[in-house]
Amino acid sequence: MDKIAVLIPCYNEGKTIEKVVLDCQKAIANIPNSTVYVYDNNSSDNTAELAKKAGAVVRHEYMQGKGNVIRRMFREIDAECYIMIDGDDTYPAEEIPKMASYVLDQKYDMVVGDRLSSSYFEENKRPFHGIGNKLVRGSINFFFKNDIRDIMTGYRAFSAEFVKTYPVLSHGFEIETEMSIFAIVNNMAMANHVIEYRDRPAGSESKLNTFSDGFKVLRLIFTLYRNYKPFKFYGFLSLLLLIIAAIVFVPHVWIPYHLTGRVANMPTLIVCGFCVIAGIISFYSGLILDSIQRQDRREFEFRLQEVHHFLKQENKQ
């Protein structure tokens, strides 16, 4: 088991990967039993060769997508602390020991490299990326009530307990959002560490599509809110259906009936009845799913204890 495992997911980062690997090795030079891993994701340039030349352990993930790469890394690497950093040379590798100390010394489960509180908006030259980051952060802060200041940063530190209990479900760039919400919902210890951000060097291009990947992230937030907060989600849907039924029923069915003694709009009455039934079903669906979610939370706590016990045994050996 490594003390610190620096994990670098890469796709066509030949312009910068050699420097990133060398910077990471320099940062962990005084920390024994630490390794830099580069996972190449079907690069068409010389990313893998340059990473190996710089001294990294190079491995491959042939299923395209950052989420698939992270799943492979978390599955294969065993370490006390994991540092995830992008291979585009936008993050300061010299912050690795500080971020690792949160996990190793203070027992945090996830440390977020916070770009948005420093130089991100001055350095980032890609249009709409800053707006997208603010929108995602605001959405998650609104729906999940948390203190993470940079949801989509690719610079993070993780504990072994987080890595070995986190189910990777996303395939692409929405992975950072998913792991943030996972940590929030499961009440894992998190810290923000402000880092300086620098824009990509000339010739290096971002793989993130502002609009398509942005919509994927927003859709993921909606899906995870429905999955993790089912009673609130379906309770709101139930209330909405009942309000719609009441707004239509009162002026078009109840008042005419009160005045004439006849139901003048039978189809409207039927539609209102269906809305009420759907609202009741939605409410009880939320109750049932909320009970299932609570059971999943309890089972997660047991899994967390099992992983913690296993890691203690490994460290003793």
Side-chain angles (χ1 to χ4, degrees):
M1 179 179 289
D2 293 324
K3 185 74 173 178
I4 297 177
V6 180
L7 309 178
I8 309 176
C10 278
Y11 173 64
N12 288 344
E13 299 291 2
K15 295 280 185 182
T16 54
I17 187 60
E18 190 170 10
K19 180 179 182 300
V20 172
V21 171
L22 292 173
D23 288 347
C24 291
Q25 288 180 328
K26 182 179 178 181
I28 62 174
N30 296 324
I31 304 173
N33 197 29
S34 297
T35 310
V36 177
Y37 297 90
V38 170
Y39 273 73
D40 181 64
N41 192 206
N42 301 315
S43 294
S44 57
D45 62 6
N46 57 348
T47 295
E49 292 79 5
L50 290 173
K52 189 173 183 179
K53 178 184 174 183
V57 176
V58 178
R59 297 180 180 177
H60 298 269
E61 170 55 54
Y62 297 103
M63 291 179 63
Q64 198 66 41
K66 189 174 184 180
N68 293 321
V69 179
I70 290 174
R71 181 190 296 111
R72 177 72 62 184
M73 293 191 300
F74 284 3
R75 184 189 305 165
E76 293 183 350
I77 306 300
D78 294 321
E80 293 181 43
C81 174
Y82 299 77
I83 303 290
M84 185 177 75
I85 185 171
D86 290 342
D88 55 9
D89 195 31
T90 58
Y91 300 116
E94 59 269 18
E95 295 293 322
I96 288 176
K98 294 179 183 178
M99 294 184 67
S101 69
Y102 284 95
V103 174
L104 297 173
D105 301 328
Q106 302 178 50
K107 306 305 178 184
Y108 280 95
D109 292 299
M110 184 173 73
V111 184
V112 175
D114 176 17
R115 310 161 297 170
L116 304 187
S117 298
S118 61
S119 56
Y120 180 80
F121 296 104
E122 292 77 24
E123 286 288 323
N124 179 47
K125 304 300 189 300
R126 286 156 288 177
F128 304 112
H129 279 212
I131 297 172
N133 271 284
K134 285 184 177 180
L135 178 61
V136 171
R137 180 177 63 179
S139 299
I140 292 180
N141 287 340
F142 177 77
F143 287 116
F144 293 95
K145 311 300 180 189
N146 70 97
D147 191 37
I148 299 180
R149 300 190 193 118
D150 191 349
I151 299 295
M152 299 184 68
T153 179
Y155 196 9
R156 298 173 188 245
F158 305 102
S159 67
E161 286 85 354
F162 179 96
V163 167
K164 297 306 180 183
T165 57
Y166 169 54
V168 181
L169 301 178
S170 297
H171 304 297
F173 284 102
E174 62 270 30
I175 183 69
E176 286 95 353
T177 304
E178 182 189 75
M179 61 176 58
S180 298
I181 294 176
F182 172 82
I184 294 165
V185 170
N186 289 291
N187 197 32
M188 306 194 86
M190 293 177 287
N192 296 292
H193 179 70
V194 178
I195 59 168
E196 291 298 317
Y197 176 87
R198 52 182 176 259
D199 201 18
R200 283 173 170 266
S204 176
E205 297 181 359
S206 174
K207 315 307 182 299
L208 178 67
N209 185 291
T210 303
F211 294 103
S212 64
D213 288 315
F215 284 125
K216 288 179 184 177
V217 169
L218 293 175
R219 184 178 63 187
L220 177 69
I221 294 171
F222 175 82
T223 301
L224 292 180
Y225 182 76
R226 183 192 64 197
N227 293 344
Y228 286 130
K229 308 278 187 179
F231 183 69
K232 289 184 178 180
F233 179 86
Y234 287 101
F236 174 77
L237 181 60
S238 173
L239 180 62
L240 183 63
L241 287 168
L242 293 177
I243 289 174
I244 291 173
I247 290 173
V248 175
F249 176 80
V250 171
H252 296 288
V253 178
W254 186 78
I255 292 178
Y257 177 78
H258 182 71
L259 294 175
T260 65
R262 297 170 53 197
V263 178
N265 299 293
M266 184 61 70
T268 303
L269 175 63
I270 294 172
V271 171
C272 290
F274 277 117
C275 284
V276 171
I277 293 171
I280 294 171
I281 293 173
S282 179
F283 178 79
Y284 282 102
S285 296
L287 283 177
I288 295 169
L289 292 172
D290 186 66
S291 177
I292 294 172
Q293 174 63 21
R294 289 177 182 272
Q295 180 63 32
D296 288 342
R297 291 275 302 279
R298 285 192 289 268
E299 292 178 359
F300 172 78
E301 290 298 325
F302 287 126
R303 291 199 305 272
L304 197 62
Q305 292 177 21
E306 290 174 359
V307 170
H308 182 71
H309 177 73
F310 173 78
L311 292 171
K312 285 179 67 175
Q313 295 299 320
E314 285 291 309
N315 287 332
K316 286 180 182 179
Q317 293 176 8

